[in-house]
Amino acid sequence: MKILLNSLLYHKKAHILFFLTYVLVTSAGLYFAETSVLSFLLMLFSIFILYFLKLKDKVKWIIGIGILGGLLPLAASHGAAYQSYMEVAVFVGIYVAMALGLNIVVGFAGLLDLGFVAFFAVGAYTYGIFATAQASHFIPFGKFPLSGESFWVFLFIGCFVAALFGVLLGIPVLRVKGDYLAIVTLGFGEIIRIVFNNLDKPVNITNGAMGISSITPPKIFGISLIYPNQFYYIVLVIVLSVIFIVRNLEQSKIGRAWKAVRENEIAAQAMGIPLVKTKLTAFAIGASFSGMMGVVFAAKQTFVDPTSFTLLESTNILVMVLLGGIGSIPGVILGAAIVTILNLQVLTELTNWLNGLSTSGIFSIPDALSPVKMQRFIFGALLILFALFRSKGLLPAKNRKYDAEKLTAGEVSNNRIVVVANEKMESLNGGQEA
């Protein structure tokens, strides 16, 4: 038995065979069970297993895209809960992209931001205003609402406008750090929400607390995209692009500069890193992902109002980053997926199950103790547990490893040598070893 277990643990073919069997069983379960939440969650878990398989990165990417882009929607499409599964998957994607954006600011650059949802709101209102007749209240020319085809342009406009707001936030907070930075960013998030809440007088721009409704859905080749399974593919493409960009940024010159600033600003400045430019870039790039997802959110919900962008949402995104692992891209993706699925799927299903028991007289639970209403309590308990027992998150950040022999022999490019120098500097300042 021990020999068998060892062969499963260390044998590459055994890993692949186990993974294929797992994917086939869970996809068959999802296909035939129709409304099995467990099968849906287990199938999503296959991506987590894939991450640990001893395969080349390119192979993992191809398999992962195949599962998320083909197998998962196909298996889920057979059941009545197809659209609800896709709805959850869309929100997972939205929060993954936002958490990756916040990870740049908090994880890479070490700038604690408690008002990150403000950029999400900026993106959502940017599309919401122009994709409805709301824009005609303050723009005397042009024809509004804009057509659904404009959605694709607004993805980039939302991205740009949010990045601009990120820079505007970054400029006044350059002189503060730590707790003071957190307070300033928290204030910025609340200011944006209150401004949108009151920007209906004297000129009606956001329609105030009533929000903006009937937002035009996106169109492509004349087809309106209104169902969650259609938005699923939009979000999937954006999330894959965001992951690709963030992975490359992390290993780039600016990524190394962010980490140097995070570890020690004075040492980073002494090494010739421009603090202002580095911090502003982190704010702008992090905000741009959030703004882009704000456009998708507005188009999907066809309604935006200030209550969707409260401090609680900023806290939720920060929890995703902390839970997964600050500075860790796979960790943040995992953290965002867990919190979103827990929030939208698991707690809701658990409440429905308990309500069913209560209705049949088997078991009764007070309404105030419903799992959905205890959501914040559960998140708070999770945070405390992780802070105590796993402070670096589920998947802590890792530095790239280098072959010392190749480095000595001069087989590594000059760029890589610079990376090692910076990472050694990080280790001298209390960071992880290179």
Side-chain angles (χ1 to χ4, degrees):
M1 187 67 182
K2 189 176 178 180
I3 296 171
L4 178 64
L5 285 174
N6 282 336
S7 66
L8 285 174
L9 284 173
Y10 299 107
H11 208 279
K12 188 176 175 181
K13 288 183 179 175
H15 284 186
I16 296 171
L17 186 63
F18 165 77
F19 179 72
L20 288 176
T21 309
Y22 179 88
V23 171
L24 286 175
V25 169
T26 51
S27 56
L30 184 60
Y31 184 83
F32 291 109
E34 296 188 0
T35 57
S36 173
V37 176
L38 184 62
S39 297
F40 175 67
L41 296 179
L42 288 174
M43 192 157 184
L44 286 179
F45 189 70
S46 66
I47 300 299
F48 182 68
I49 298 174
L50 178 65
Y51 172 72
F52 288 102
L53 288 184
K54 293 178 179 177
L55 299 173
K56 290 181 179 177
D57 280 353
K58 283 184 181 177
V59 177
K60 287 184 184 178
W61 274 95
I62 293 169
I63 296 174
I65 291 171
I67 292 174
L68 292 175
L71 199 56
L72 178 65
L74 181 67
S77 64
H78 184 65
Y82 176 44
Q83 294 298 344
S84 65
Y85 289 150
M86 291 296 102
E87 178 92 4
V88 173
V90 166
F91 276 101
V92 168
I94 288 174
Y95 281 107
V96 163
M98 289 174 65
L100 285 171
L102 183 60
N103 188 48
I104 289 176
V105 182
V106 178
F108 293 168
L111 305 166
L112 183 55
D113 188 346
L114 292 181
F116 195 69
V117 78
F119 307 119
F120 187 52
V122 167
Y125 269 94
T126 301
Y127 182 66
I129 289 171
F130 290 97
T132 60
Q134 188 65 29
S136 57
H137 290 284
F138 60 94
I139 298 179
F141 54 87
K143 186 180 178 183
F144 299 102
L146 297 177
S147 67
E149 283 85 359
S150 65
F151 168 81
W152 311 104
V153 179
F154 268 89
L155 281 177
F156 297 98
I157 294 176
C159 189
F160 174 76
V161 174
L164 187 64
F165 271 78
V167 173
L168 291 176
L169 168 67
I171 291 171
V173 303
L174 286 175
R175 292 178 178 273
V176 295
K177 56 185 176 182
D179 299 341
Y180 298 103
L181 176 63
I183 293 168
V184 172
T185 52
L186 187 153
F188 173 77
E190 284 300 288
I191 287 170
I192 291 291
R193 185 181 64 81
I194 292 168
V195 165
F196 285 152
N197 195 46
N198 293 283
L199 211 55
D200 55 342
K201 295 176 184 175
V203 180
N204 189 359
I205 297 176
T206 63
N207 205 26
M210 299 295 290
I212 301 172
S213 58
S214 304
I215 296 172
T216 308
K219 270 188 180 180
I220 185 166
F221 303 125
I223 303 169
S224 291
L225 307 179
I226 54 174
Y227 297 109
N229 65 315
Q230 296 168 328
F231 277 94
Y232 174 77
Y233 287 100
I234 297 173
V235 171
L236 183 63
V237 171
I238 294 175
V239 168
L240 290 175
S241 306
V242 169
I243 294 171
F244 177 78
I245 293 169
V246 175
R247 271 169 59 94
N248 282 287
L249 281 175
E250 185 184 11
Q251 304 301 334
S252 69
K253 183 180 175 182
I254 187 67
R256 298 193 296 273
W258 286 334
K259 291 180 181 180
V261 169
R262 178 190 65 191
E263 298 301 329
N264 191 319
E265 285 189 11
I266 297 172
Q269 201 167 18
M271 294 291 288
I273 294 173
L275 285 185
V276 174
K277 182 182 171 185
T278 306
K279 288 184 178 180
L280 288 182
T281 309
F283 273 116
I285 295 177
S288 63
F289 298 147
S290 190
M292 185 180 284
M293 279 308 177
V295 174
V296 176
F297 175 79
K300 184 189 168 302
Q301 299 296 93
T302 66
F303 174 75
V304 289
D305 74 333
T307 60
S308 302
F309 313 105
T310 59
L311 173 62
L312 209 53
E313 288 298 318
S314 289
T315 311
N316 261 348
I317 304 165
L318 187 61
V319 168
M320 293 168 188
V321 177
L322 293 173
L323 183 66
I326 295 179
S328 164
I329 295 172
V332 168
I333 295 170
L334 180 65
I338 288 177
V339 172
T340 310
I341 291 172
L342 192 67
N343 189 11
L344 296 180
Q345 192 79 45
V346 177
L347 293 180
T348 308
E349 291 295 329
L350 189 60
T351 304
N352 292 338
W353 180 67
L354 290 173
N355 288 339
L357 291 179
S358 180
T359 307
S360 57
I362 298 172
F363 179 76
S364 178
I365 185 169
D367 187 51
L369 297 178
S370 163
V372 169
K373 293 185 177 177
M374 297 290 284
Q375 184 188 98
R376 303 302 160 198
F377 170 80
I378 293 169
F379 288 157
L382 276 175
L383 270 185
I384 292 171
L385 287 174
F386 273 90
L388 290 176
F389 301 108
R390 202 170 175 86
S391 57
K392 292 184 178 178
L394 290 170
L395 294 174
K398 294 177 183 176
N399 279 333
R400 182 184 283 183
K401 293 180 180 177
Y402 299 91
D403 190 330
E405 292 180 1
K406 287 184 179 177
L407 196 65
T408 309
E411 295 179 18
V412 182
S413 67
N414 289 333
N415 288 335
R416 298 246 179 128
I417 292 172
V418 172
V419 173
V420 173
N422 277 339
E423 290 183 355
K424 280 183 179 175
M425 185 188 72
E426 289 173 13
S427 69
L428 288 173
N429 289 306
Q432 294 181 354
E433 291 183 2

